Amino acid sequence: MLPTAFIAQMRQMLGDQQLAQFLKCYDEPRTYGLRFNRLKMNSQLVEHSFLQQAWNLKQIPWCEDGYYYDYNQRPGKHPYHAAGLYYIQEPSAMTAAELLDPQPGETILDLAAAPGGKSTQIAAKMQGSGVLISNEIHPSRAKILSENIERMGIVNTIVTCAAPSELATRFPATFDRIMLDAPCSGEGMFRKDEGAIKEWSPESVQQCAARQWGIIQDAISMLKRGGMLAYSTCTFNRQENEEMIRQILDHYPNMMLIKEHRVWPHLEQGEGHYVALLQNGQPEEDEATSQLKTKEKQNKELSTVWDAYTAWAKEVIPHFHLPQGRPILFGEHLYFLPTTNDLSLTSKQLNKLKLPRAGLQLGEYRKNRFIPAHALAMAVKVCEASEAHCLVLGASQVTSYLHGETIAVDDKLTGWCIVAIAFSEDDAFPLGWGKASQGQLKNHLPKGLRQQQA
C-alpha cells in the first residue's frame, strides 16, 4: 500500500492520467539488469549467442553494456559472475555514469559509492587509466564496495571510508569528475522493497534534502574548474531533484546545468532514476597540467617487498603491466596506488584516512616469500600469465574450486598459476590463484568468497 501523501505528491507532479499509469506499474513485475564488464569482455564476447540466449538478454537503450535479463535464470549464481564478467545492476541506475561520461586518464571521485554499481561502470570507461576514488562512509558497506571493485578486476581505484567533509579538507579542487549518487528517500525502491515504503514520509523527504545539500557543498569544493558533477537519486519528488539543482545554481553562480534526465517506471523499463549533470564553470585555457609530484622516499622494507613482487611477477605474470602509480605498504600487505599527472596522493592526504582498498592489492610478504592477492588474480588476463589451469563450464572441477577444494592437475604444472573458467577455446577468465605441486592444485580462493556446498 503506497502512502496517501506519496500518491498526492505524484498526482501533483504527473496529473491524473499519468498518475493512473504510474500506479498501474506497481502491479507489474520489476525489471532486472546486468552490465558487462568491458575490462574483461570485448564486443564479440558480449554479443556471443550463448550469453544472449542463456539469460534471454535484451539491450538497455541508455547503456551500451547494459542488458535486461530473465530473473529466473539467476546469472548472479553463475561462475561468470564470480569471474567478474558482469555486474548485476538495476537498469535505470546505469543512466548516471553514462551521463557523467568519464574518460581514461582523469581523476574521478564517486562520493557515495556502495555497493559499487556506478564505480565499476565508471572504472570500465576509464580502462585502467587515471585514478578513481570510491568512497563509502559506512564501514560494512565499504567492505562490500571493495569486494565488488576487486571482483571486476579494477586496478586504478582507491576505496576510502570517510565523511564527505573529511575528503573535502584533503582534496580541494582536485577532481575532473564527481559522481554523487545521493542518499535519498528511495521512492524508486518501492516496487522492490516494502521496507522503503514503510520508512517514507514527507518529513523523511525534507530530512534527505537537508542532508543532500550538505554533501553537495562538500562535493563542489572538490571539483576542479571546468569539472563535471553528476548528481543522481532513485527518488521521484522534485524537492530532492529539480529543486536541489535550482538551489545549487542559485548558491553557486559558477555552476552550470548541462543536462537533466529522468527514467520513469511507467514509461520505461526501470525502477526510476533522476540525474543532473553540472559543470563548474569553463576550464581555464592557460591552465597547465601539473607535473607528477616527487615520489616519497621509500623505506628499506617497502623496497624489499616490492623487489619480491617484481621478481615473482616476472616469473608468474610476465605480460601484466600496472598503471601509472607507486607501491605502498600496509603492514605485510603490498598495494599499488594509482596516480595521474594531477593527483599523486601524499602522506598528509592519506594520514588517518580509512582505506578499505588502497588501489590494487598485489599481495603480502610472509617468511621471505611473496603471496599474491586475489585482487591481483582478478586484474590479470589469462594471456598475461605464464601458467593457467582452465576449467570448462559445467565441469565438476569448477564447483570444487569455488568450494575451496584442492583439485587434481597435470604433474607438469608446478608453482603459482591462474585458475580460470573457459568461455570458449580462445577466451578464459580468472577465478583466482592456485599453487600446483605433484599433481595437486592447492586452492587459494579466499575463504570469504568460497561458495557453500549444497
Side-chain angles (χ1 to χ4, degrees):
M1 296 292 292
L2 297 173
T4 303
F6 172 71
I7 295 175
Q9 168 192 286
M10 300 312 297
R11 176 177 282 109
Q12 185 178 21
M13 291 182 66
L14 299 173
D16 289 337
Q17 184 174 353
Q18 276 208 57
L19 176 66
Q21 299 174 26
F22 176 80
L23 296 178
K24 184 180 178 181
C25 79
Y26 283 87
D27 296 325
E28 300 170 355
R30 55 169 290 210
T31 55
Y32 298 87
L34 61 81
R35 179 176 40 76
F36 284 110
N37 181 9
R38 288 287 178 175
L39 296 175
K40 298 193 176 190
M41 298 282 282
N42 58 35
S43 298
Q44 184 178 359
L45 293 176
V46 169
E47 295 166 2
H48 197 283
S49 59
F50 167 77
L51 289 177
Q52 298 294 324
Q53 296 170 10
W55 302 309
N56 192 25
L57 298 181
K58 296 179 181 178
Q59 179 79 51
I60 295 173
W62 49 82
C63 181
E64 180 184 5
D65 298 325
Y67 290 80
Y68 299 105
Y69 69 86
D70 183 350
Y71 175 71
N72 294 323
Q73 301 299 323
R74 306 299 293 275
K77 301 292 185 181
H78 198 280
Y80 289 161
H81 183 266
L85 301 195
Y86 48 83
Y87 188 98
I88 304 295
Q89 188 176 15
E90 197 280 306
S92 58
M94 300 179 192
T95 55
E98 293 297 316
L99 197 60
L100 183 61
D101 193 26
Q103 300 295 313
E106 292 183 327
T107 305
I108 301 177
L109 170 66
D110 188 353
L111 191 50
K118 292 177 177 63
S119 277
T120 56
Q121 191 173 357
I122 290 168
K125 291 179 178 295
M126 295 175 75
Q127 287 293 305
S129 174
V131 175
L132 170 62
I133 295 181
S134 297
N135 181 67
E136 173 55 49
I137 191 172
H138 300 289
S140 59
R141 286 170 57 80
K143 182 176 183 294
I144 294 170
L145 171 64
S146 295
E147 291 169 350
N148 281 323
I149 293 290
E150 178 177 293
R151 180 173 60 86
M152 302 298 275
I154 298 168
V155 301
N156 62 324
T157 297
I158 300 163
V159 176
T160 58
C161 181
S165 57
E166 182 182 356
L167 293 180
T169 61
R170 297 171 185 264
F171 302 108
T174 298
F175 298 100
D176 296 299
R177 298 177 201 261
I178 296 177
M179 170 63 70
L180 174 52
D181 187 33
C184 67
S185 57
E187 294 164 359
M189 304 284 287
F190 285 0
R191 189 157 60 166
K192 65 178 182 179
D193 183 4
E194 291 185 4
I197 299 176
K198 295 176 182 178
E199 294 174 4
W200 186 93
S201 69
E203 292 74 25
S204 70
V205 170
Q206 294 175 3
Q207 291 169 2
C208 287
R211 180 169 53 175
Q212 289 157 0
W213 178 239
I215 299 173
I216 283 169
Q217 293 178 81
D218 289 325
I220 291 175
S221 73
M222 291 186 277
L223 198 60
K224 281 182 186 176
R225 178 73 182 272
M228 297 289 187
L229 168 67
Y231 171 84
S232 72
T233 74
C234 60
T235 204
F236 301 121
N237 68 78
R238 290 194 180 96
Q239 189 172 349
E240 296 177 71
N241 295 319
E242 288 91 349
E243 292 179 16
M244 187 62 63
I245 299 306
R246 302 300 171 263
Q247 188 173 349
I248 293 173
L249 298 176
D250 290 342
H251 195 81
Y252 295 95
N254 204 46
M255 295 294 289
M256 301 180 296
L257 177 61
I258 306 301
K259 188 175 181 180
E260 285 179 291
H261 181 72
R262 277 187 180 268
V263 176
W264 289 102
H266 64 293
L267 300 177
E268 299 175 281
Q269 286 186 279
E271 299 307 295
H273 219 73
Y274 170 88
V275 58
L277 182 67
L278 301 108
Q279 185 173 18
N280 184 21
Q282 294 293 337
E284 296 178 3
E285 294 181 4
D286 60 348
E287 184 178 2
T289 304
S290 60
Q291 299 298 315
L292 277 171
K293 296 180 181 179
T294 304
K295 292 184 178 181
E296 299 173 13
K297 186 177 179 181
Q298 298 177 338
N299 59 33
K300 184 177 180 180
E301 185 179 7
L302 174 59
S303 297
T304 299
V305 179
W306 178 245
D307 288 345
Y309 163 75
T310 52
W312 177 91
K314 185 177 181 180
E315 179 181 348
V316 181
I317 48 173
H319 306 294
F320 174 71
H321 300 288
L322 290 165
Q324 178 178 314
R326 61 185 176 89
I328 188 169
L329 199 61
F330 290 92
E332 297 177 331
H333 297 272
L334 181 68
Y335 285 77
F336 195 79
L337 195 68
T339 66
T340 66
N341 291 344
D342 294 321
L343 180 64
S344 182
L345 294 169
T346 64
S347 296
K348 181 180 179 181
Q349 289 172 314
L350 295 175
N351 185 37
K352 296 183 180 179
L353 180 63
K354 292 181 180 178
L355 289 167
R357 178 184 167 93
L360 175 64
Q361 186 179 6
L362 299 177
E364 57 184 312
Y365 191 64
R366 294 199 308 246
K367 298 179 180 178
N368 297 322
R369 290 184 302 164
F370 179 78
I371 311 296
H374 180 70
L376 180 59
M378 301 306 289
V380 170
K381 293 180 173 61
V382 171
C383 62
E384 295 171 333
S386 56
E387 296 286 356
H389 181 61
C390 293
L391 308 174
V392 179
L393 182 65
S396 60
Q397 281 198 343
V398 175
T399 303
S400 297
Y401 181 79
L402 292 175
H403 285 167
E405 299 170 7
T406 297
I407 55 179
V409 294
D410 192 302
D411 288 342
K412 296 179 181 178
L413 185 64
T414 59
W416 288 101
C417 71
I418 287 286
V419 180
I421 186 162
F423 182 88
S424 66
E425 185 176 339
D426 299 319
D427 295 292
F429 302 94
L431 290 172
W433 292 111
K435 193 172 185 182
S437 177
Q438 298 179 344
Q440 296 291 311
L441 187 75
K442 185 178 179 181
N443 196 313
H444 281 264
L445 189 68
K447 291 182 180 180
L449 297 180
R450 295 177 183 179
Q451 297 179 359
Q452 298 295 318
Q453 299 190 28

